[in-house]
Amino acid sequence: MPAAPECFVQLSDPHIVAKGRLLMNEVDTASYLKRAIAQIMAMDHGPSHVLITGDLVERGGLDEYAHLRELLAPLTCPVLLMPGNHDAVPQLREAFADYRYLVCTAHDPSLVGFALFEASLGSRRLLALDTVVPGQPHGSLCAARLAWLRAQLEAAPGTPTIVAMHHPPFATGIRHMDDMGLREGASDLEALIRQHPQVERILCGHLHRPITRRFGGTVAMTAPSTAHQITLGLMPDSPPSFLFEPPGFYVHTVQAGHLVTHLQSVGDFGAPQLFH
């Protein structure tokens, strides 16, 4: 039997609420996440890791994180959790106290409130960059967080690296989401990434849509939500809205030495039909 390809899965923006509740009294985010996890478990090339790029829960409550933990339990591979603007790092650390990577920067006075970490994804290195401004919807990269990233990149210039962050470092054209985008540090990040060609992807969440752009000499991309999607409204007066387009996740795989990304829709589309 041929060897399974190296791969990991990226989920984003599950927005889990307390058990028995619906997000905005309408969206059953828990059921959506269950379906995504079931689809991951059914993959014929199981991932080495599952990365979740923020907005893990809706309000940052311990009851929500307890519900998230229960929903993630079927996964048999390591799970890498990143905060988004709907998360609260102190509660996230308390609820997942055994996830030691979440406290890597907890004793650094300049980074104590942020969850930044490094992890190995097979042949790739992951640098998880916390962009959260506590209590605010927009993101920021302060000098301390950028200094952490610079030190990490300088420590392994020859290792293919993935940078993950919740807020994308670029405007998307969806005005109401761009208004709560990465307000500080994007240009400094772009200059830093350009100095480090080992960065082959910047993986983001927040937008609830698959969006791709060149950035700092590499590729930056946002992932769909496991639940509801943001409407593709590109006019300046497009109202903030969401819809139930098919949810999805990314499967990032290494092929011939290069990182290749596949968008996988979540749903029951029937059995594969062989070509004749």
Side-chain angles (χ1 to χ4, degrees), residues 87-110:
D87 292 296
V89 168
Q91 287 87 338
L92 173 62
R93 285 172 169 161
E94 180 177 346
F96 291 88
D98 52 329
Y99 286 40
R100 300 305 301 166
Y101 61 84
L102 288 172
V103 296
C104 287
T105 54
H107 303 296
D108 183 331
S110 66

Side-chain angles (χ1 to χ4, degrees), residues 192-270:
L192 177 58
I193 296 298
R194 198 175 296 280
Q195 296 167 8
H196 294 278
Q198 77 267 32
V199 178
E200 58 182 342
R201 198 77 92 247
I202 300 174
L203 304 181
C204 311
H206 193 52
L207 263 291
H208 293 228
R209 295 198 69 83
I211 305 170
T212 305
R213 206 202 89 167
R214 292 283 293 174
F215 182 87
T218 190
V219 177
M221 56 197 308
T222 68
S225 169
T226 54
H228 55 296
Q229 311 306 314
I230 298 295
T231 305
L232 181 58
L234 297 176
M235 295 299 293
D237 58 350
S238 295
S241 62
F242 69 93
L243 72 174
F244 293 103
E245 289 181 347
F249 56 83
Y250 282 140
V251 178
H252 303 283
T253 181
V254 177
Q255 301 292 334
H258 296 275
L259 191 68
V260 178
T261 298
H262 298 266
L263 173 61
Q264 174 63 62
S265 297
V266 176
D268 183 0
F269 306 108

Side-chain angles (χ1 to χ4, degrees), residues 123-146:
S123 62
R124 267 54 188 169
R125 185 180 186 224
L126 172 73
L127 298 177
L129 190 57
D130 185 341
T131 58
V132 175
V133 179
Q136 298 296 324
H138 69 273
S140 175
L141 285 176
C142 59
R145 282 175 279 186
L146 287 167

Side-chain angles (χ1 to χ4, degrees), residues 170-199:
F170 58 89
T172 67
I174 302 176
R175 181 187 54 79
H176 68 98
M177 294 303 295
D178 290 338
D179 287 346
M180 60 178 79
L182 189 71
R183 290 189 185 174
E184 297 89 22
S187 59
D188 291 334
L189 175 67
E190 186 167 20
L192 177 58
I193 296 298
R194 198 175 296 280
Q195 296 167 8
H196 294 278
Q198 77 267 32
V199 178

